Amino acid sequence: MSDVVLSVQELQTHFFTRNGVLKAVDGVSFSVRKGRILGLVGESGSGKSVTGYSILRLVDAPGKIVGGRIVLNGTDLAALDGEAMRRMRGAVVSMIFQDPMMTLNPVLRIGTQMVAAIKAHDRVSTALARERARDALALVGIPAPAERLDAYPHHLSGGMRQRVAIAIALLHQPAVIIADEPTTALDVSIQSQILAEVRRLADQMGTAFVWVTHDLAVVSSLADDVAVMYAGRIVESGATEAVLAHPRHPYTAGLMASVPSQAERGARLAQIGGSTPSLGALPEGCAFRPRCPRATEICRMMPPLAPIGDTMVRCHHPIGEARP
Amino acid sequence: MLGFFIQRVFQAVIVVVVMSILVFLGVYAIGNPIDVMIDPAATQQIRDTLIRQYGFDRPLWEQYFVFVGNVLQGDFGQSFVYRVPVLDLIFSRLPATFELALGAMLIASVIGIPLGIWAGYRPRAFSSKAIMALSILGFSLPTFWVGLLLVMTFAVQLHWLPSGGRGPTSDILGIPLSFVTPAGWSYIILPAFNLALFNLGLLIRLARAGTLEAMSSDYVRFARAQGLKESKVVGLHVLKNIAIPIVTVFGLEFGSTLAFAVVTETIFNWPGVGKLIIDSIMVLDRPVMVAYLILVVLLFVIINLVVDLLYGVLDPRIRARRAA
Ligand SMILES: Nc1ncnc2c1ncn2[C@@H]1O[C@H](COP(=O)(O)OP(=O)(O)OP(=O)(O)O)[C@@H](O)[C@H]1O
Ligand code: SF4
Ligand SMILES: [Mg+2]
């Protein structure tokens, strides 16, 4: 589609550890359209955060992007030099993190941090930068934004801090924001307020989001599209309603069966039978095979990501098709 | 804040009182100064007169209270040797020691902090490992040995710098100082460097540890995600976070550097308080020793107090806790 802003193609990010190469992200592809929200779900360790860091080229050693393209508004980020990539960060693509206690520098005033973020890309006076910072805080629904500029992070509640982080990410109106479980640490009512705010911002400003989460309830209420990750690969992706109404991949179906009840929302997904495989010792072929009730001999070969109806599925025996 | 301040001052006073008793007892225990003061051939009568004159025949506790009474009036007594008020004697030597210690701390910070930040910023680089080796040397090589080596190399062999003494000084606000003239510089640079070594090692380690921790924090990742230049990430976010331990150590170490300049002053024949105290110990010049030790205690207590108060200025979280 023509309004795709971010297209990740066959992304590979590997960690070169003493005990061998960990393929944390191994051929991930997805795309996000303007103003749309893509939910990226999967168990702990499936490579969601590493995917996010890779898009911003912020993977720490010993990790390294070893393959693939990250096309953002027509530019392949993976091919940019360091300074060109820096210019993209914050301006065209930004990121927010899970723990609102840790993402803001505890010893710098909110205003100082925001002014630094503005001046990273625009040559403006501090006075003007502060005005823009104040407006950005107001935009994400922070009361008395002018006073907040002089506050330190510990003066604010967790929800307020995460709003500040979102405001900072929005300062330069980037095309895409990667959100790495930003509401997981917050309580449910604050979380739903922030989700509503994000939905409004995406619609009004046309910002696209990649929303990383464990929580399928968040996906169903927030995301237009969903991509399910398992052991460094996308196993199923498509429109949220389609995927959640008719999961095709046995792993997606397992995730849905283990959705926590309303009372436990935000809790980690209950484990599907068996445990997440260690990246160092993946089975050959389909990584989900040891846990999969539908597995057969052919699953010893890696299934391709193939279209079934409107969704893409990486499985030899997708649900809804007869098992041979 | 005021409550905190009063509490800290009160603690400080108690420390000074206890220390003054210990110092008095300790110095009393090391021998009878009369033997040093007078001609061994003097008659018993002269001895008795002198003992009575100095009050050495009184009970110890009475001597202590007389001493404290005098001290509270600013009178630390007269030097047995120089026959001048002890306080005048110490204060006349203080600028030399102060300048030396300040020079040493300056050298240690100007070299140590940037090196430490670099070592924390690029922990795997060869240069960083070399820096850490340097810091271990700074820690573990004995000051007197390095001092002698410096004299041998730069004064005796190369004739670049004088081997000792203070050289010419110029008065600023009535205080004689070396750093004003190039000739003064040539005298102070070697002893200051010698005295700096330990703190150099310390500041390198401290700056490195703080930088390492900050570099892996979420707020640094977040700052990078906003497109901040690396110089800004380090210069703003990292530096502000490592400032607290550095200021603490700077303050505390400045005290010990002043107090323990003794070795360096002796090697370089630097006419400071350290040299004075060594000379006084040789001849059991009791008033000088007592006054010196008590002034050192006072100094440490005051520095501790200032550092504690500075903490609050630097770290807004601590300020908030104290206000509560
Ligand atoms: N610094 C690192 N060194 C070595 N391996 C790493 C490192 N960071 C991540 N990995 C590997 O990458 C895998 C994926 O990690 P990632 O943080 O992306 O998972 P995640 O899906 O975000 O999980 P979670 O839901 O717990 O945040 C991990 O299982 C780990 O093996
Ligand atoms: S490919 Fe085979 S093992 Fe893998 S999910 Fe599909 S059925 Fe299960
Ligand atoms: Mg994660």
Side-chain angles (χ1 to χ4, degrees):
Chain A
M1 228 164 290
S2 61
D3 58 351
V4 165
V5 284
L6 172 67
S7 160
V8 175
Q9 299 158 15
E10 289 300 318
L11 176 68
Q12 289 180 301
T13 302
H14 297 176
F15 284 86
F16 297 87
T17 69
R18 225 172 292 143
N19 304 322
V21 180
L22 296 182
K23 300 179 176 177
V25 174
D26 198 20
V28 160
S29 305
F30 58 78
S31 57
V32 198
R33 286 170 289 157
K34 189 175 187 327
R36 296 304 188 95
I37 300 175
L38 170 76
L40 187 59
V41 289
E43 284 170 316
S44 192
S46 54
K48 308 183 295 296
S49 296
V50 174
T51 303
Y53 298 150
S54 301
I55 292 170
L56 275 93
R57 299 250 315 265
L58 285 177
V59 184
D60 288 330
K64 200 169 184 306
I65 298 175
V66 292
R69 285 156 51 85
I70 304 160
V71 182
L72 182 61
N73 278 344
T75 311
D76 182 7
L77 300 186
L80 293 182
D81 67 42
E83 172 61 14
M85 186 63 223
R86 181 195 69 76
R87 284 176 210 270
M88 302 294 273
R89 287 189 203 114
V92 190
V93 55
S94 199
M95 186 159 183
I96 48 184
F97 301 102
Q98 172 168 359
D99 190 346
M101 304 299 200
M102 308 301 297
T103 37
L104 298 175
N105 192 330
V107 298
L108 292 176
R109 293 177 199 274
I110 306 287
T112 311
Q113 305 190 39
M114 296 186 79
V115 167
I118 292 171
K119 289 188 171 178
H121 299 289
D122 298 335
R123 292 177 61 96
V124 292
S125 69
T126 302
L128 197 66
R130 283 178 71 86
E131 273 176 39
R132 276 174 57 182
R134 185 201 56 207
D135 295 347
L137 292 180
L139 184 71
V140 297
I142 290 178
E147 281 105 88
R148 293 289 172 270
L149 289 180
D150 290 323
Y152 286 95
H154 69 269
H155 292 140
L156 307 180
S157 68
M160 277 299 154
R161 271 186 255 210
Q162 205 55 286
R163 280 173 194 258
V164 171
I166 294 171
I168 291 177
L170 281 168
L171 278 172
H172 298 279
Q173 304 190 351
V176 184
I177 293 178
I178 317 290
D180 192 358
E181 311 196 49
T183 57
T184 310
L186 305 176
D187 71 50
V188 178
S189 65
I190 307 286
Q191 168 170 319
S192 54
Q193 284 172 24
I194 289 184
L195 293 184
E197 207 76 59
V198 165
R199 186 70 257 184
R200 181 178 65 80
L201 291 168
D203 294 341
Q204 277 179 8
M205 302 176 63
T207 315
F209 284 82
V210 176
W211 200 272
V212 172
T213 179
H214 281 92
D215 191 343
L216 279 179
V218 168
V219 171
S220 73
S221 71
L222 180 73
D224 303 291
D225 301 290
V226 61
V228 182
M229 247 187 120
Y230 188 81
R233 290 200 172 83
I234 303 290
V235 294
E236 179 161 10
S237 64
T240 306
E241 311 93 76
V243 171
L244 295 190
H246 300 288
R248 302 288 186 176
H249 196 281
Y251 176 65
T252 314
L255 279 184
M256 295 200 47
S258 62
V259 164
S261 69
Q262 199 66 18
E264 311 164 312
R265 260 182 62 173
R268 301 228 144 182
L269 289 175
Q271 298 265 312
I272 304 163
S275 57
T276 320
S278 119
L279 285 180
L282 284 184
E284 54 173 332
C286 176
F288 190 54
R289 186 162 53 85
R291 303 165 76 186
C292 181
R294 299 170 73 86
T296 62
E297 265 312 297
I298 191 181
C299 302
R300 288 184 185 280
M301 281 172 19
M302 174 62 71
L305 193 63
I308 299 179
D310 288 334
T311 63
M312 301 290 284
V313 185
R314 187 188 290 279
C315 177
H316 291 299
H317 312 301
I319 295 168
E321 281 182 11
R323 263 174 85 185
Chain B
M1 194 68 202
L2 186 67
F4 169 79
F5 182 75
I6 292 171
Q7 186 191 338
R8 287 295 283 107
V9 169
F10 186 67
Q11 286 173 0
V13 169
I14 292 180
V15 170
V16 171
V17 168
V18 171
M19 286 308 295
S20 72
I21 295 175
L22 289 179
V23 165
F24 200 79
L25 283 177
V27 171
Y28 186 87
I30 60 177
N32 187 346
I34 292 293
D35 299 333
V36 187
M37 285 164 66
I38 59 173
D39 188 348
T43 64
Q44 188 62 31
Q45 201 176 1
I46 298 178
R47 277 181 67 96
D48 289 346
T49 327
L50 268 176
I51 285 176
R52 222 167 301 123
Q53 187 188 327
Y54 282 104
F56 294 145
D57 54 339
R58 302 294 173 81
L60 190 56
W61 60 268
E62 200 181 318
Q63 288 186 42
Y64 174 73
F65 279 112
V66 170
F67 168 74
V68 169
N70 290 339
V71 164
L72 288 180
Q73 294 164 30
D75 176 13
F76 278 86
Q78 287 225 337
S79 160
F80 295 159
V81 178
Y82 296 89
R83 308 274 168 201
V84 293
V86 167
L87 225 46
D88 293 356
L89 190 60
I90 291 182
F91 279 128
S92 74
R93 300 290 199 97
L94 208 54
T97 299
F98 212 82
E99 191 179 14
L100 184 64
L102 209 62
M105 290 308 288
L106 222 66
I107 290 175
S109 331
V110 168
I111 301 178
I113 296 174
L115 286 186
I117 290 178
W118 173 257
Y121 183 72
R122 287 263 178 274
R124 288 159 215 263
F126 176 76
S127 54
S128 302
K129 293 188 174 132
I131 290 170
M132 291 321 287
L134 177 76
S135 91
I136 291 173
L137 287 185
F139 264 138
S140 46
L141 291 182
T143 307
F144 74 90
W145 187 76
V146 178
L148 290 177
L149 213 65
L150 289 174
V151 172
M152 294 297 284
T153 314
F154 293 99
V156 178
Q157 295 288 328
L158 297 172
H159 297 290
W160 287 356
L161 296 166
S163 66
R166 197 178 180 194
T169 57
S170 308
D171 282 14
I172 289 186
L173 302 172
I175 303 167
L177 293 170
S178 296
F179 77 94
V180 192
T181 61
W185 269 91
S186 72
Y187 279 90
I188 197 175
I189 193 89
L190 273 191
F193 184 74
N194 184 219
L195 191 56
L197 273 183
F198 181 83
N199 289 321
L200 181 67
L202 198 66
L203 283 177
I204 287 178
R205 310 212 126 223
L206 215 65
R208 174 179 180 270
T211 305
L212 260 183
E213 192 188 321
M215 287 317 292
S216 63
S217 70
D218 268 6
Y219 60 76
V220 160
R221 210 193 274 268
F222 189 49
R224 284 175 166 163
Q226 293 149 33
L228 263 69
K229 293 205 169 89
E230 285 299 284
S231 57
K232 197 78 181 170
V233 170
V234 174
L236 181 70
H237 286 271
V238 174
L239 200 59
K240 189 74 204 272
N241 266 278
I242 65 175
I244 293 164
I246 286 181
V247 166
T248 313
V249 164
F250 192 98
L252 295 180
E253 282 304 310
F254 186 62
S256 23
T257 307
L258 272 180
F260 303 122
V262 177
V263 176
T264 298
E265 288 187 0
T266 309
I267 294 171
F268 290 90
N269 203 20
W270 187 260
V273 186
K275 181 113 177 33
L276 172 69
I277 188 67
I278 290 289
D279 296 344
S280 304
I281 290 173
M282 300 289 197
V283 298
L284 285 185
D285 193 347
R286 197 143 101 178
V288 178
M289 289 153 66
V290 172
Y292 171 80
L293 290 173
I294 286 181
L295 287 179
V296 166
V297 170
L298 260 180
L299 184 82
F300 269 83
V301 166
I302 290 172
I303 287 175
N304 266 313
L305 194 65
V306 171
V307 167
D308 259 13
L309 296 177
L310 262 185
Y311 251 19
V313 177
L314 281 172
D315 192 334
R317 290 164 297 184
I318 293 177
R319 210 179 322 159
R321 220 173 303 141
R322 283 177 187 170

